[in-house]
Amino acid sequence: MVRRLLVALVAVAMTMVTVMASAAADTLSWQHVPVPAQLRPQAGLHEAVAFGPDRAWAVGADAVGRQAPGFPLMLRWDGTAWQRQSLPEVGWQGELLSIAATSPTAGWAVGRDAAGGARLLRFDGSAWSESRPPRGVVLTKVVAGGGETWLIGSRDGAQALLRWDGRGWRDLPVPPGAVFGLHILAADDVWAAGATNAGAAVSHWDGQAWQQTIVDGYPRSTVSSVLAVSRTEVWAGGTAGFIGGPVGRPIPPLLVRWDGQAWSRVTVPADFGSVSSLAPTTSGALGWVSVERSQNRDPDSFPPLVPGPDFLSWNGTSFTEYSEPAVAGEGESSALQLAPVPGTDTVWSVGRADSPEGTFAPRVLRFG
């Protein structure tokens, strides 16, 4: 009898622990994380990369907008706070657009100076330094994955893709149209998100050639983010196409999924906005979707629009909606770029937020 009672008590205790853990998980939300107070007004962040709970970087521009041309900005997370990263070799005005790394000791950041020239920074594990960019290429993004590092840009007005071979940057063939985002699984397994005159397009590189598929054929549709879970599960997000309508008409978000045989559109709980970023879980599956300028129809409001979810958590079958927290003296985010922390459930979001009188401010959010 005593033994049965002990077993019953243990079972009840384990159930309570499970319920409490589940309740704690349900109460998790996105939190605002302050940036250094010494940043000038109108700073903004474009992108971030994380390697652990105490190591992350975010890049953007300091004193932009009315203070143009601004200055390159890099922040570093040390596990406690965001600090401005020293860039002693950077003496030019402009901005940093993108950052990526294959390891904590091998990173790259691309930027643009006030004259429109390409800038490239390299991290060796201890410091960031200037690196010579590919000749004649205007750089917009750097992407790393599968031990690979690629650059996205343009040369003489035409799309350009380049791959780091350990000694220099080598040009690669490009798929038709424009490329806005990449997900690299290996040198012979790369997915590209973009657009053509025929609509939003996703292309796959097998090491020899690109195979492109139009995933949404409406005019002006585009995908800018892509996440490849496997060869039979790929996601891409952006904005859906539309025909006609007044200038400034809200545009619907677009999220599509490849199941190994066909692309299909996935319904998201937002009527308007743009899917700006996709982030994986620790297993590599889709975990998060960010939706910039998210809105939903509401016939009882005037205008008939209300804010929609800023973040969507995917559990494999459905979405859970999350809104960004309110920040005193600032409006909503106008840019949301996700950066998951490897080996954890934590995710960063960086961008910029609207502020009074048409200004904006850097915005950093964290979940987990």
Side-chain angles (χ1 to χ4, degrees), residues 261-287:
Q261 296 183 336
W263 287 91
S264 59
R265 187 163 178 173
V266 178
T267 301
V268 297
D271 295 323
F272 305 106
S274 172
V275 173
S276 57
S277 188
L278 307 174
T281 64
T282 54
S283 67
L286 176 68

Side-chain angles (χ1 to χ4, degrees), residues 23-82:
D26 290 341
T27 59
L28 288 176
S29 61
W30 285 87
Q31 302 294 325
H32 176 247
V33 182
V35 297
Q38 66 270 27
L39 294 185
R40 299 176 179 86
Q42 301 243 84
L45 297 170
H46 295 307
E47 206 169 73
V49 63
F51 276 101
D54 61 350
R55 179 167 296 190
W57 288 277
V59 295
D62 195 0
V64 295
R66 296 178 182 177
Q67 303 295 326
F71 300 87
L73 173 64
M74 182 179 292
L75 303 180
R76 184 186 185 280
W77 174 255
D78 62 8
T80 303
W82 286 96

Side-chain angles (χ1 to χ4, degrees), residues 107-185:
W108 298 89
V110 302
R112 176 174 51 215
D113 61 31
R119 295 287 182 164
L120 185 63
L121 305 182
R122 186 176 185 181
F123 185 67
D124 61 4
S126 60
W128 289 88
S129 59
E130 291 266 12
S131 182
R132 180 174 296 178
R135 185 181 299 274
V137 180
V138 178
L139 299 175
T140 56
K141 192 174 182 66
V142 57
V143 183
E148 296 277 304
T149 304
W150 289 31
L151 296 174
I152 301 176
S154 62
R155 182 188 287 113
D156 297 327
Q159 181 80 67
L161 292 175
L162 302 100
R163 173 181 176 269
W164 177 252
D165 67 1
R167 295 180 298 177
W169 297 100
R170 301 289 179 254
D171 278 274
L172 292 168
V174 297
V179 173
F180 302 120
L182 296 170
H183 189 193
I184 307 171
L185 294 174

Side-chain angles (χ1 to χ4, degrees), residues 16-360:
M16 292 179 64
V17 169
T18 301
V19 170
M20 292 173 64
S22 177
D26 290 341
T27 59
L28 288 176
S29 61
W30 285 87
Q31 302 294 325
H32 176 247
V33 182
V35 297
Q38 66 270 27
L39 294 185
R40 299 176 179 86
Q42 301 243 84
L45 297 170
H46 295 307
E47 206 169 73
V49 63
F51 276 101
D54 61 350
R55 179 167 296 190
W57 288 277
V59 295
D62 195 0
V64 295
R66 296 178 182 177
Q67 303 295 326
F71 300 87
L73 173 64
M74 182 179 292
L75 303 180
R76 184 186 185 280
W77 174 255
D78 62 8
T80 303
W82 286 96
Q83 305 289 341
R84 186 160 193 160
Q85 174 74 51
S86 175
L87 300 173
E89 290 194 11
V90 176
W92 43 273
Q93 289 184 277
E95 60 184 330
L96 292 173
L97 302 170
S98 178
I99 186 169
T102 53
S103 75
T105 59
W108 298 89
V110 302
R112 176 174 51 215
D113 61 31
R119 295 287 182 164
L120 185 63
L121 305 182
R122 186 176 185 181
F123 185 67
D124 61 4
S126 60
W128 289 88
S129 59
E130 291 266 12
S131 182
R132 180 174 296 178
R135 185 181 299 274
V137 180
V138 178
L139 299 175
T140 56
K141 192 174 182 66
V142 57
V143 183
E148 296 277 304
T149 304
W150 289 31
L151 296 174
I152 301 176
S154 62
R155 182 188 287 113
D156 297 327
Q159 181 80 67
L161 292 175
L162 302 100
R163 173 181 176 269
W164 177 252
D165 67 1
R167 295 180 298 177
W169 297 100
R170 301 289 179 254
D171 278 274
L172 292 168
V174 297
V179 173
F180 302 120
L182 296 170
H183 189 193
I184 307 171
L185 294 174
D188 59 354
D189 193 2
V190 182
W191 296 83
T196 71
N197 291 334
V202 174
S203 306
H204 180 253
W205 172 256
D206 63 4
Q208 301 295 325
W210 290 98
Q211 181 178 356
Q212 186 175 80
T213 302
I214 303 300
V215 296
D216 188 75
Y218 280 92
R220 296 178 245 179
S221 65
T222 182
V223 284
S224 57
S225 299
V226 59
L227 174 64
V229 180
S230 67
R231 290 183 180 269
T232 59
E233 184 181 355
V234 183
W235 298 77
T239 53
F242 64 96
I243 300 176
V247 175
R249 169 189 174 184
I251 302 174
L254 176 64
L255 182 65
V256 293
R257 182 181 186 179
W258 168 254
D259 64 4
Q261 296 183 336
W263 287 91
S264 59
R265 187 163 178 173
V266 178
T267 301
V268 297
D271 295 323
F272 305 106
S274 172
V275 173
S276 57
S277 188
L278 307 174
T281 64
T282 54
S283 67
L286 176 68
W288 288 94
V289 177
S290 62
V291 186
E292 294 178 359
R293 302 294 191 184
S294 176
Q295 294 179 308
N296 280 320
R297 296 184 182 90
D298 183 359
D300 296 328
S301 300
F302 183 81
L305 296 172
V306 295
D310 302 296
F311 302 100
L312 304 172
S313 174
W314 177 252
N315 64 6
T317 57
S318 62
F319 289 111
T320 300
E321 303 175 29
Y322 292 87
S323 296
E324 65 174 330
V327 180
E330 298 179 8
E332 298 178 352
S333 292
S334 57
L336 301 165
Q337 289 295 319
L338 300 171
V341 179
T344 75
D345 293 327
T346 300
V347 182
W348 292 101
S349 171
V350 302
R352 60 183 182 273
D354 297 329
S355 290
E357 300 179 359
T359 62
F360 51 87

